[in-house]
């Protein structure tokens, strides 16, 4: 018996050895977030969009600095104010071998409004498309109702499905309803790998919710082949556990190590760091809506009755000091941005003077962060009629942005120093956003990442007047309103010529800053940590993409 | 027995109903999931369209009644976040949690009862005192910290065990389990031990107290007088009589461990239902939270029922029919 076992082992040994060839190139990534689904069009949000890019490519790509790059389209140009021509790449196949054509683009554009129960739809990035002409299999002429310079960057946000995989072989004509197709792929099918076929450098392997997503190299990829045979993406949402997993060698690469661990990781000879400035600005919004505001005390009776949405419509509030530009400026001067960056952010942030860092489209190269000037702040407050300051409560999330509540506490101390006795109301993000959307904060801290990588994104959402019909002010919960600024933003959004648009955006940005409509604080610097022997090019959009992770030679 | 079961069942239905109402209103009061789930770039029109699409624009009572209506047909709703039936999401992850929960309770029994009995039999010896002070540590150290220390020691410094995740799984009757593979077992060990620590201390203290009390009973003296061997006295007569409080506590603790292993699952990135719950609460994914808590209540009701039945097995004096509830 014993002999039999030995013989068996001896016979199996070479077979086992043959099964384990030279170590296959495998990459294991620990992420701070998890995609809610693999369906590329179900949930338009960062965690889903970064995963999508591995498998489903879009016509236009975005590089590390969010500049547009050719992907499935080799070139594109506006042919008139309202038409764009996209030339698609020839010879691209999906990972199942089907060729990629204009039909796949139209199929995808038609599916996007037809994803049921989407909690964040991509229709915001397809609704500009009015009509699509297809002179041949690899040329698209896209018509928009109005001049729409953001079309290429919007097209860069969604990945292309294969029409053939879902049984659509007839030639499609784009319309806003759904191109005459009645049955669409289901979101949960993609999680199981059914129809999860794109043109990307990786193909879908397996998705176990909460545990791992496995990606395999796409050997028929049209471009530079992927570096890794397999990539396993694990969601490790707890930051300390993520760092531990890296140190234990469970994963090779992690996103967002906590700032307090960075010095330790930097000193570790087995660990490398990648860091880069992000497009995310942390800012203070000031309530500039009505004559009174809920979070302020000691300013006296309001001059007029409060009307419209907000808690002051039903409860007594005191006078709103933030309608006075001098008070807004005083707040800005009272904040020591450099100290926040150095002491609280551990140096991994950059003080902000605009809503996007220098170098991004539409920023003013000469803009500077507001200088720390507590004496000037006190003087301005006295001029505005508040020589003894007032009391203020600042709202902040405590689990949304890097060190968010700590930054707010520091700001509260700085404001208290110039006479504005400030308290902090920190809460978890779900409660914070609800409270903010009910206009219960006089001042709150939040962040904005410019998905398009240009100034029109923060200007339109954060400082343009709230206006449903014109699509402005979606996140402007400070309710600042300035018609001249709105007009500039709208003009920029309708100017296709890049040079002209940039000039308008620069002007608009300067106007918003000079009026202290919003107080930018700092730009987050994103960090990644990895085992020695890897490199990563930091991305401004904070995405972790396996395509950017290379073995160092 | 039958009357007992029916009475229990009726109570359970009421508890489930009240529970669903409380959770429903509670999460509604916290906030609107769309505020967190939507891309900030969405304009006001798109924000409103999304709220309508998920049915969140309707008044609360109307949302609750459509929930009740489909719940009667066994459909507890579709996750706002994942667009999958809430129950399916939970059952997908349940095996992972059951594994560490059973592992933890198993460890608590296998280590806790003998250690507690030793401490009870030799209360003044060095070993007895060591066990008791050790159990104080198990009580008082926070799970979160112990988990991280275990990872630092066994994964980072010694490199013996993996730091996180579930490892390889194999299908057992179509359910993926990891305790049948070596890689899976190494992954289970740390989280299960971390979960077990508190329960182990509890079991040690209960067994010790029980042993000290039982040792003084007449029937122990009598069985000794009868000439039974010491091992038979301890392993049969003493053990059986200290088990009742241990079973009660372990029953409740098993439920606790299954439903609320949140901290351990988060620290070890263990893909169980505790992590699903905490993520769902964070994102205000109401259908999942409601389904989860309903399931949890059902589970506690079941466990309590089993505990009551076990009483009557362990102690012939207990008759189920006499029990009030």
């Amino acid at each position: 018996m014993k002999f039999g076992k030995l013989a068996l082992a001896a016979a199996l040994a070479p077979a086992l050895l043959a099964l384990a060839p030279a170590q296959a190139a495998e990459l294991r990534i620990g992420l701070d977030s998890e995609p809610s689904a693999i369906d590329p069009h179900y949930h338009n949000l960062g965690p889903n969009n970064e995963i999508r890019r591995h498998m489903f490519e879009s016509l236009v790509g975005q590089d590390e600095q969010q500049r547009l790059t050719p992907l499935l389209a080799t070139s594109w140009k506006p042919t008139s104010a309202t038409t764009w021509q996209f030339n698609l790449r020839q010879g691209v196949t999906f990972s199942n071998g089907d060729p990629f054509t204009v039909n796949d683009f139209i199929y995808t554009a038609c599916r996007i409004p037809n994803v049921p129960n989407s909690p964040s739809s991509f229709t915001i990035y397809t609704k500009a498309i009015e009509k699509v002409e297809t002179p041949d299999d690899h040329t698209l002429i896209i018509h928009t109702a109005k001049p729409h310079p953001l079309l290429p960057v919007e097209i860069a946000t969604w990945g292309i499905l294969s029409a053939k995989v879902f049984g659509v072989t007839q030639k499609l004509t784009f319309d806003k309803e759904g191109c005459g197709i009645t049955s669409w792929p289901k979101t949960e099918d993609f999680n199981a790998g059914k129809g999860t076929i794109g043109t990307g450098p990786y193909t879908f392997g397996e998705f176990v919710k909460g545990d791992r997503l496995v990606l395999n190299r796409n050997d028929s990829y049209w471009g530079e082949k992927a570096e890794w045979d397999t990539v396993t993406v694990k969601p490790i949402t707890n930051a300390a556990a993520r760092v531990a997993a890296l140190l234990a060698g469970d994963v090779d690469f992690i996103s967002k190590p906590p700032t307090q661990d960075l010095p330790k990781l930097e000193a570790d000879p087995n660990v490398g760091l990648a860091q880069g400035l992000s497009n995310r600005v942390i800012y203070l919004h000031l309530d500039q809506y009505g004559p009174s505001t809920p979070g302020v005390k000691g300013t006296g009776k309001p001059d007029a009755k409060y009307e419209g949405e907000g808690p002051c419509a039903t409860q007594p509030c005191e006078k709103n000091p933030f309608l006075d530009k001098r008070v807004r400026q005083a707040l800005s001067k009272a904040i020591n941005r450099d100290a926040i960056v150095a002491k609280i952010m551990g140096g991994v942030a950059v003080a902000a003077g605009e809503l996007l860092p220098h170098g991004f489209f539409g920023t003013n190269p000469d803009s500077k962060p507001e200088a720390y000037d507590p004496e000037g702040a006190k003087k301005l407050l006295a001029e505005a009629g508040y020589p003894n300051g007032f009391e203020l409560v600042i709202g902040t999330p405590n689990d949304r942005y890097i060190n968010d509540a700590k930054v707010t506490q520091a700001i509260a101390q700085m404001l208290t120093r110039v006479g504005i006795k400030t308290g902090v109301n920190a809460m978890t993000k779900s409660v914070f956003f609800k409270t903010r959307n009910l206009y219960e904060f006089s001042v709150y801290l939040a962040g904005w990442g410019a998905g398009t990588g240009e100034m029109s994104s923060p200007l339109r959402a954060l400082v343009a007047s709230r206006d449903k019909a014109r699509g402005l002010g979606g996140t402007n919960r400070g309710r600042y309103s300035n018609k001249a600024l709105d007009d500039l933003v709208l003009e920029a959004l309708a100017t296709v010529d890049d040079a002209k648009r940039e000039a308008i955006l620069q002007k608009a940005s300067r106007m918003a800053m000079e009026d202290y409509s919003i107080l930018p604080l700092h730009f987050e610097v994103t960090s990644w940590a990895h085992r020695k022997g890897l490199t990563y090019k930091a991305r401004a959009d904070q995405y972790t993409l396996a395509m950017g992770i290379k073995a160092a030679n | 027995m039958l009357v007992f079961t029916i009475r229990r069942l009726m109570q359970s239905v009421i508890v489930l109903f009240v529970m669903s109402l409380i959770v429903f209103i509670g999460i509604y009061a916290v906030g609107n999931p769309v505020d967190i789930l939507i891309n900030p770039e969405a304009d006001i029109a798109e924000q409103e369209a999304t709220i309508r699409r998920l049915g969140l624009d309707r008044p609360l009572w109307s949302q609750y009644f459509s929930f009740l209506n489909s719940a009667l047909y066994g459909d507890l709703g579709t996750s706002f976040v994942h667009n999958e039936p809430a129950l399916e999401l939970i059952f997908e992850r349940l095996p992972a949690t059951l594994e560490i929960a059973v592992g933890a309770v198993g460890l608590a029994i296998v280590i806790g009862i003998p250690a507690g009995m030793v401490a009870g039999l030799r209360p003044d010896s060095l070993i007895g005192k060591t066990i008791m002070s050790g159990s104080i540590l198990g009580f008082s150290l926070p799970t979160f910290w112990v988990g991280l220390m275990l990872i630092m020691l066994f994964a980072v410094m010694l490199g013996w065990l993996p730091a996180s995740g579930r490892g390889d799984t194999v299908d057992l009757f179509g359910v993926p389990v990891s305790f049948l593979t070596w890689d899976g077992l190494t992954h289970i060990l740390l989280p299960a031990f971390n979960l077990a620590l508190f329960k182990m201390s509890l079991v040690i203290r209960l067994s010790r107290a029980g042993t000290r009390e039982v040792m003084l009973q007449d029937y122990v003296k009598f069985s000794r007088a009868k000439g039974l061997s010491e091992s038979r006295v301890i392993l049969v007569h003493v053990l059986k009589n200290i088990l009742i409080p241990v079973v009660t506590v372990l029953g409740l603790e098993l439920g606790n461990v299954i439903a609320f292993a949140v901290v351990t699952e988060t620290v070890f990135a263990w893909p169980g239902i505790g992590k699903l719950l905490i993520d769902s609460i964070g994102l205000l994914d109401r259908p999942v939270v409601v389904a989860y808590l309903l399931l949890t209540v059902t589970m506690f009701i079941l466990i309590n029922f089993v505990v009551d039945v076990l009483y009557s097995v362990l102690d012939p004096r207990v008759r189920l029919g006499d029990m009030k509830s």
Side-chain angles (χ1 to χ4, degrees):
Chain A
M1 198 54 213
K2 205 170 180 185
F3 176 75
K5 264 193 190 158
L6 268 177
L8 190 68
L12 277 176
L16 287 172
L17 282 176
L19 280 175
Q23 191 77 41
E26 197 202 351
L27 180 72
R28 296 154 305 166
I29 303 175
L31 283 191
D32 60 301
S33 60
E34 188 186 13
S36 57
I38 298 300
D39 182 344
H41 308 130
Y42 168 65
H43 195 173
N44 176 12
L45 209 62
N48 290 45
N49 290 345
E50 67 183 339
I51 293 297
R52 181 280 287 177
R53 282 163 198 246
H54 295 87
M55 297 171 280
F56 300 93
E57 285 179 305
S58 41
L59 294 195
V60 179
Q62 283 185 312
D63 70 3
E64 294 83 13
Q65 290 305 313
Q66 288 184 288
R67 283 180 298 250
L68 299 183
T69 55
L71 212 56
L72 288 178
T74 51
S75 63
W76 56 92
K77 58 171 189 287
T79 47
S80 78
T82 58
T83 52
W84 290 77
Q85 179 174 336
F86 287 82
N87 300 309
L88 306 195
R89 198 175 291 278
Q90 306 268 352
V92 173
T93 57
F94 285 93
S95 56
N96 66 350
D98 291 339
F100 157 71
T101 68
V102 288
N103 220 33
D104 301 307
F105 173 85
I106 297 179
Y107 179 79
T108 306
C110 292
R111 187 211 173 212
I112 283 173
N114 288 296
V115 181
N117 300 332
S118 165
S120 179
S121 171
F122 280 91
T123 46
I124 53 170
Y125 297 138
T126 58
K127 67 179 173 197
I129 303 174
E130 274 304 310
K131 204 173 94 186
V132 181
E133 285 175 67
T134 52
D136 63 61
D137 263 0
H138 290 89
T139 310
L140 283 168
I141 313 279
I142 298 180
H143 295 254
T144 57
K146 282 179 285 181
H148 195 70
L150 294 180
L151 187 73
V153 66
E154 290 185 351
I155 278 180
T157 58
W158 41 276
I160 305 288
L161 295 180
S162 160
K164 225 171 149 188
V165 163
F166 300 105
V168 174
T169 46
Q170 74 272 26
K171 190 136 182 52
L172 294 169
T173 319
F174 177 82
D175 64 47
K176 291 221 156 199
E177 269 66 59
C179 315
I181 300 171
T182 47
S183 135
W184 295 100
K186 285 200 198 108
T187 293
E188 58 255 47
D189 289 348
F190 287 95
N191 293 346
K194 233 170 95 188
T196 319
I197 286 169
T199 62
Y202 288 95
T203 60
F204 177 82
E206 181 191 16
F207 180 48
V208 183
K209 247 183 248 108
D211 190 34
R212 64 186 180 272
L213 166 71
V214 181
L215 300 165
N216 299 315
R217 174 169 43 210
N218 177 4
D219 286 317
S220 61
Y221 185 56
W222 56 267
E224 194 193 329
K225 298 275 184 292
E227 174 125 5
W228 310 100
D229 294 329
T230 59
V231 174
T232 307
V233 184
K234 298 180 179 191
I236 309 177
T237 46
N238 180 273
R242 207 157 56 241
V243 171
L246 176 73
L247 295 178
D250 271 16
V251 293
D252 306 306
F253 191 97
I254 59 169
S255 65
K256 297 199 187 146
T259 44
Q260 65 269 23
D261 282 351
L262 289 176
K264 198 182 80 195
L265 290 172
E266 214 155 13
D268 192 322
N270 300 316
V271 174
L273 286 178
Q275 291 184 321
L277 196 57
S278 76
N279 63 18
R280 187 181 297 283
V281 64
I282 303 298
Y283 62 82
L284 289 183
H285 247 152
L286 314 174
D287 177 10
Q288 293 161 68
Y289 177 69
S292 52
T293 189
V296 165
K297 269 193 199 130
T299 53
K301 273 215 171 83
D303 305 330
K305 195 173 172 310
Y306 186 100
E307 270 161 45
E309 262 186 281
C312 289
T314 50
Q315 73 194 46
C317 299
E318 294 199 33
K319 187 178 167 187
N320 184 354
F322 304 112
L323 297 177
D324 190 328
K325 183 183 150 188
R326 286 169 297 188
V327 177
R328 305 199 294 268
Q329 192 180 357
L331 253 65
S332 189
K333 279 183 183 294
I335 297 169
N336 188 346
R337 292 173 173 77
D338 293 328
I340 293 176
V341 166
K343 300 281 185 248
I344 294 170
M345 302 300 289
V348 281
V350 172
E354 270 186 303
L355 295 172
L356 264 179
H358 287 155
F360 279 87
F361 191 88
T363 52
N364 289 293
D366 58 343
S367 70
K368 276 196 208 76
E370 180 89 40
Y372 176 53
D373 178 11
E375 289 314 311
K378 277 184 201 163
K379 227 174 96 200
L380 280 167
L381 282 174
E383 275 174 36
Y386 305 104
N388 300 318
F390 48 85
E391 283 177 42
L392 171 69
V393 175
I394 305 187
T396 178
N398 56 17
D399 52 2
R400 176 64 190 85
Y401 311 102
I402 303 175
N403 299 337
D404 37 17
K406 284 186 209 155
V407 171
T408 313
Q409 268 153 12
I411 291 174
Q413 286 169 13
M414 291 167 185
L415 294 183
T416 305
R417 222 168 286 161
V418 300
I420 305 174
K421 209 168 158 241
T422 308
V424 174
N425 189 2
M427 43 188 90
T428 184
K429 59 184 180 227
S430 52
V431 182
F432 170 79
F433 285 119
K434 176 203 171 166
T435 317
R436 180 194 75 175
N437 292 356
L438 292 172
Y439 305 110
E440 286 183 12
F441 297 127
S442 287
V443 176
Y444 69 84
L445 175 138
W448 183 266
T452 56
E454 67 164 67
M455 189 53 92
S456 59
S457 159
L459 287 181
R460 168 160 70 173
L462 300 179
V463 290
S465 313
R466 280 180 73 75
D467 184 336
K468 184 175 164 188
R470 294 193 292 181
L472 297 179
T475 312
N476 181 2
R477 302 291 182 173
R479 292 191 284 182
Y480 170 78
S481 178
N482 176 350
K483 187 164 175 312
L485 182 63
D486 296 351
D487 290 343
L488 276 182
V489 172
L490 285 172
E491 189 189 342
L493 289 172
T495 305
V496 174
D497 183 289
D498 275 351
K500 279 189 199 151
R501 187 167 84 256
E502 176 148 34
I504 302 169
L505 287 173
Q506 286 173 334
K507 197 174 151 200
S509 172
R510 199 173 300 127
M511 185 188 278
M513 292 303 111
E514 281 172 0
D515 203 19
Y516 294 93
S517 56
I518 185 170
L519 307 182
L521 300 172
H522 57 260
F523 303 110
E524 286 184 357
V525 167
T526 324
S527 305
W528 290 266
H530 51 76
R531 66 168 165 81
K532 264 276 164 335
L534 296 177
T535 63
Y536 188 64
K537 265 199 196 146
R539 290 186 64 93
D541 52 20
Q542 306 190 307
Y543 287 162
T544 305
L545 301 181
M547 288 79 89
I549 305 173
K550 310 266 182 200
N553 302 316
Chain B
M1 178 81 187
L2 187 67
V3 177
F4 174 75
T5 314
I6 291 171
R7 209 160 39 194
R8 263 294 164 86
L9 218 61
M10 278 165 54
Q11 279 175 351
S12 316
V13 170
I14 295 169
V15 170
L16 286 174
F17 176 77
V18 172
M19 185 78 189
S20 74
L21 197 65
I22 293 173
V23 178
F24 217 85
I25 295 172
I27 296 204
Y28 183 84
V30 172
N32 184 340
V34 173
D35 294 341
I36 314 168
L37 293 175
I38 201 164
N39 190 313
E41 302 259 355
D43 54 27
I44 302 171
E46 179 62 31
Q47 293 169 10
E48 288 176 2
T50 308
I51 290 174
R52 263 197 311 279
R53 189 158 50 225
L54 296 181
L56 294 166
D57 55 332
R58 291 155 50 207
L60 180 64
W61 60 266
S62 145
Q63 292 184 45
Y64 183 69
F65 277 108
S66 21
F67 160 78
L68 266 193
N69 195 26
S70 24
L72 288 179
Y73 295 96
D75 170 13
L76 292 184
T78 303
S79 158
F80 294 145
V81 179
H82 300 281
N83 197 19
E84 283 186 43
L87 274 181
E88 231 169 76
L89 278 173
I90 294 168
F91 283 124
E92 242 173 47
R93 295 212 186 182
L94 192 61
T97 295
L98 283 181
E99 253 177 11
I100 48 168
V102 172
V105 171
L107 279 177
I109 294 172
V110 170
I111 301 178
I113 294 181
M117 287 182 79
V118 168
L121 292 171
R122 304 204 189 337
D124 297 320
S125 69
L126 180 67
I127 183 153
K129 282 182 175 160
T130 315
I131 289 173
M132 289 322 286
S133 7
S135 80
I136 291 176
L137 285 183
F139 261 116
S140 45
L141 294 178
T143 333
F144 185 82
W145 183 83
V146 174
L148 282 175
M149 288 305 113
L150 287 175
I151 293 179
M152 286 314 286
L153 181 63
F154 289 102
V156 177
M157 285 159 73
L158 297 173
W160 291 349
L161 293 167
S164 62
R166 200 175 169 202
D168 294 341
T169 55
V170 284
D171 280 5
L172 184 71
F173 309 118
V175 179
V177 294
S178 39
F179 70 92
L180 291 179
T181 66
W182 177 246
D183 182 57
L185 266 182
T186 58
H187 280 86
I188 291 179
L189 203 60
L190 284 186
F193 183 74
N194 191 38
L195 261 188
L197 215 55
F198 182 83
K199 304 175 212 305
M200 215 186 277
S201 319
L202 211 59
V203 172
I204 287 176
R205 308 218 125 215
L206 284 172
S207 320
R208 174 179 179 270
T211 309
R212 292 204 68 181
E213 194 190 319
V214 167
M215 287 306 279
L216 303 175
Q217 298 289 324
D218 291 343
Y219 56 80
V220 173
K221 286 185 190 140
F222 178 69
S223 45
R224 284 216 174 108
K226 231 166 63 172
L228 291 183
S229 69
E230 190 65 14
S231 61
R232 187 165 167 84
V233 172
I234 290 168
L235 292 181
V236 177
H237 296 281
V238 175
L239 183 63
K240 215 171 157 183
N241 281 293
I242 64 168
L243 276 184
I244 285 201
V246 173
V247 166
T248 316
V249 167
L250 276 183
L252 288 175
E253 284 294 321
L254 177 68
N256 241 326
V257 144
I258 294 173
F260 307 111
V262 181
V263 173
T264 297
E265 286 184 4
T266 308
V267 173
F268 289 90
W270 186 263
I273 51 176
K275 202 152 156 276
L276 177 71
L277 176 70
I278 200 79
D279 292 347
S280 300
I281 292 177
L283 296 172
L284 299 178
D285 196 349
R286 190 182 62 208
V288 177
V289 180
V290 173
Y292 185 91
L293 291 177
L294 289 183
L295 218 68
T296 309
V297 172
T298 314
M299 184 180 71
F300 271 103
I301 291 168
L302 271 178
I303 289 178
N304 269 340
F305 183 75
V306 172
V307 167
D308 285 343
V309 173
L310 271 185
Y311 279 165
S312 69
V313 175
L314 285 172
D315 187 344
R317 288 170 301 182
V318 178
R319 293 277 168 271
L320 284 179
D322 303 338
M323 293 175 88
K324 280 273 174 325
S325 49

